[in-house]
Amino acid sequence: MRTAALPPVVAAVVALAISGIRRLSPILLESAVSLPSAEALSTYVASARFTAFLLVYGLLFGAALLAGLRDADASATSTALATGASATGAFLLGSVAVFWYLGPGRGPVATAVFALGASLGVGIQFAVVAYAGVALGERRREGAAATAP
């Protein structure tokens, strides 16, 4: 059994994007651009959250499912662990960049704890999604092989 390469790579890219999407409101409020109306701002934030949902449960789950379908040696457990670690690191990197942009509004210890906690949460979420995708792909591949003549 080995680790599939595609889900951890996709997870890193998605986690980096989500680190900015989750903090879209403070980024817009702190930037120098003129703010739209409150209704438009809430529409932007809701659209960004829907995009994050599509990235995680569409792109990441699809990549994990594809890895499970195509790679007979891919292990769901090792792929999930690699995906979680990859997502945690990328989200932490993105969070640090966003917090650096937003400025020192909080103390450094509170910022570090918040960023690390959020990163671990995202890593666990992505690991579960990757495990489910690879396991479903393995199951479908085995089911198709059993019914083939």
Side-chain angles (χ1 to χ4, degrees):
M1 294 292 173
R2 63 181 185 78
T3 302
L6 185 61
V9 171
V10 171
V13 172
V14 170
L16 198 57
I18 288 179
S19 67
I21 289 172
R22 285 198 177 173
R23 292 174 185 86
L24 184 63
S25 294
I27 290 171
L28 289 175
L29 292 173
E30 293 290 327
S31 65
V33 299
S34 63
L35 291 175
S37 66
E39 293 84 19
L41 185 61
S42 64
T43 302
Y44 296 157
V45 171
S47 299
R49 290 194 181 254
F50 182 68
T51 302
F53 175 83
L54 289 178
L55 287 172
V56 173
Y57 295 103
L59 188 62
L60 178 59
F61 183 78
L65 180 65
L66 185 66
L69 285 171
R70 289 192 175 179
D71 194 357
D73 293 333
S75 168
T77 305
S78 67
T79 301
L81 290 173
T83 301
S86 162
T88 299
F91 191 86
L92 184 61
L93 181 67
S95 294
V96 166
V98 169
F99 288 142
W100 176 78
Y101 173 75
L102 294 177
R106 300 176 213 190
V109 174
T111 301
V113 169
F114 180 75
L116 186 60
S119 299
L120 289 173
V122 166
I124 291 168
Q125 175 192 9
F126 283 27
V128 169
V129 170
Y131 184 86
V134 173
L136 180 63
E138 287 175 356
R139 189 145 181 160
R140 285 191 174 198
R141 186 184 65 244
E142 291 169 1
T147 59

